[in-house]
Amino acid sequence: MSTDNLIIDSSILLSQLKNANQEMGQVIDSIRQIAQHTNLLSLNSAIEAARAGEAGRGFSVVADEIKKLATRSLTSTKESTKIIENIQSKANEIMAVRTADVAYDTIDKIDRNLFERNCDAQAWAGFDKVKNCFSTTDPNRFSVVNVLLKHLVDIYEVYLDLYVLDTEGIIIAAGVHQESIGHNRADTIWFKDAKSTNSISVSDLYLSSVDKTHTVAYTCPIHNDEGRIVGYFSTRFNWNFIYDIIESARIGKNGDIFIINNAGYVIACRNRQGILVDNLKHLKAAQLAMKGETYGYIFEKDTVGTKIYGFAHTRGYNAYKGKNWSALVSETL
């Protein structure tokens, strides 16, 4: 047997559980209808026996037995209904816990990925070739670092570009968009944040006017040998790589998954639509996550029916503290 056949697709199991849950609801309705019909039959039998008088005495005995059967049937129906509803409730809870688990696993994987990006920027800011831009007068120092940055972009593949800037925010080296060299980025949020904190700064997701796609900027101070800040190293993470995590999440065909920022705006979802436009802060699950609740689930009703929302809030990973983002996973009951 191949190992592929041994892999259990939990999204298929979830779909099967949802179907079984719906079938249990139908069983409850069927049992209730049978009990109601039996009770009605016992009532009609008693009426007919009373009408028949002496001639209906034998039928009256049958009517009494039907009445007893109806009584026992109603009692059993209530007990069966209670048991089935309890099973149905537990099935819903199982599905709810699983959606929360998927949300937790997804935001954790994103945190781990972005932690690595955090480490990259700090490590590369300490490279000698980068520091030499500010510590030597070698006329080739900028072309040397341009080659280095392009080499890093090619090797790591997850970056749109890498930049070296001076303390005034002017780009002095670039890996890909070397036409940006000489441009001043002092008025950008990511540069202002890095300069004000004097440590690595991570931007929120934004649409890059240079690359025409969504990115996250990691900007780290460059220190000389005396520890003085002489410039900044800034990376542009290709946000498309986050969708590898989103698409690998095991959710049902009718389910969905969203990553939202601390204001509730969608920054990633399966169909890649409405990024930084759609806002989910009206959902109770989103509100709980945005308040910092690490993990949980909630049932919410909409025009379609009842939905389960599992949610998880970023915990960060090691030195990376996260951006107060959250993951939401929805499944329809």
Side-chain angles (χ1 to χ4, degrees), residues 110-122:
I110 290 174
D111 277 344
R112 289 169 182 262
N113 188 305
L114 299 184
F115 165 68
E116 293 179 5
R117 311 287 74 81
N118 204 63
C119 293
D120 289 344
Q122 294 180 83

Side-chain angles (χ1 to χ4, degrees), residues 237 281-282 295:
F237 175 60
K281 64 182 180 182
H282 63 282
Y295 167 93

Side-chain angles (χ1 to χ4, degrees), residues 163-195:
Y163 299 99
V164 175
L165 305 92
D166 66 17
T167 55
E168 300 303 315
I170 297 173
I171 297 174
I172 61 174
V176 178
H177 294 287
Q178 295 184 7
E179 69 278 7
S180 297
I181 294 174
H183 291 190
N184 193 315
R185 295 290 184 261
D187 61 344
T188 60
I189 294 176
W190 54 265
F191 185 80
K192 289 179 179 178
D193 286 347
K195 194 162 185 177

Side-chain angles (χ1 to χ4, degrees), residues 33-85:
Q33 289 175 12
I34 292 171
Q36 290 172 346
H37 289 160
T38 304
N39 192 42
L40 182 61
L41 179 59
S42 71
L43 179 61
N44 289 337
S45 298
I47 293 172
E48 292 302 323
R51 284 179 180 174
E54 290 294 324
R57 279 187 177 181
F59 190 67
S60 179
V61 174
V62 176
D64 286 341
E65 291 300 317
I66 294 176
K67 185 176 181 179
K68 292 177 183 178
L69 175 62
T71 301
R72 290 199 302 270
S73 178
L74 283 170
T75 301
S76 298
T77 297
K78 290 178 181 178
E79 293 174 353
S80 300
T81 299
K82 186 176 181 180
I83 292 171
I84 292 175
E85 286 178 344

Side-chain angles (χ1 to χ4, degrees), residues 47-173:
I47 293 172
E48 292 302 323
R51 284 179 180 174
E54 290 294 324
R57 279 187 177 181
F59 190 67
S60 179
V61 174
V62 176
D64 286 341
E65 291 300 317
I66 294 176
K67 185 176 181 179
K68 292 177 183 178
L69 175 62
T71 301
R72 290 199 302 270
S73 178
L74 283 170
T75 301
S76 298
T77 297
K78 290 178 181 178
E79 293 174 353
S80 300
T81 299
K82 186 176 181 180
I83 292 171
I84 292 175
E85 286 178 344
N86 185 48
I87 294 172
Q88 193 173 33
S89 176
K90 295 300 181 185
N92 288 343
E93 293 292 327
I94 290 171
M95 287 190 287
V97 169
R98 186 186 175 279
T99 60
D101 284 344
V102 173
Y104 184 92
D105 181 62
T106 300
I107 200 68
D108 182 64
K109 286 179 178 176
I110 290 174
D111 277 344
R112 289 169 182 262
N113 188 305
L114 299 184
F115 165 68
E116 293 179 5
R117 311 287 74 81
N118 204 63
C119 293
D120 289 344
Q122 294 180 83
W124 296 340
F127 279 10
D128 287 339
K129 290 180 179 179
V130 172
K131 294 164 66 175
N132 286 345
C133 288
F134 308 97
S135 60
T136 73
T137 57
D138 184 346
N140 296 319
R141 64 189 185 279
F142 298 120
S143 59
V144 168
V145 80
N146 284 338
V147 172
L148 170 65
L149 299 183
K150 181 61 168 64
H151 188 55
L152 291 173
V153 170
D154 292 342
I155 290 177
Y156 282 79
E157 298 182 348
V158 298
Y159 292 101
L160 299 169
D161 210 343
L162 304 175
Y163 299 99
V164 175
L165 305 92
D166 66 17
T167 55
E168 300 303 315
I170 297 173
I171 297 174
I172 61 174

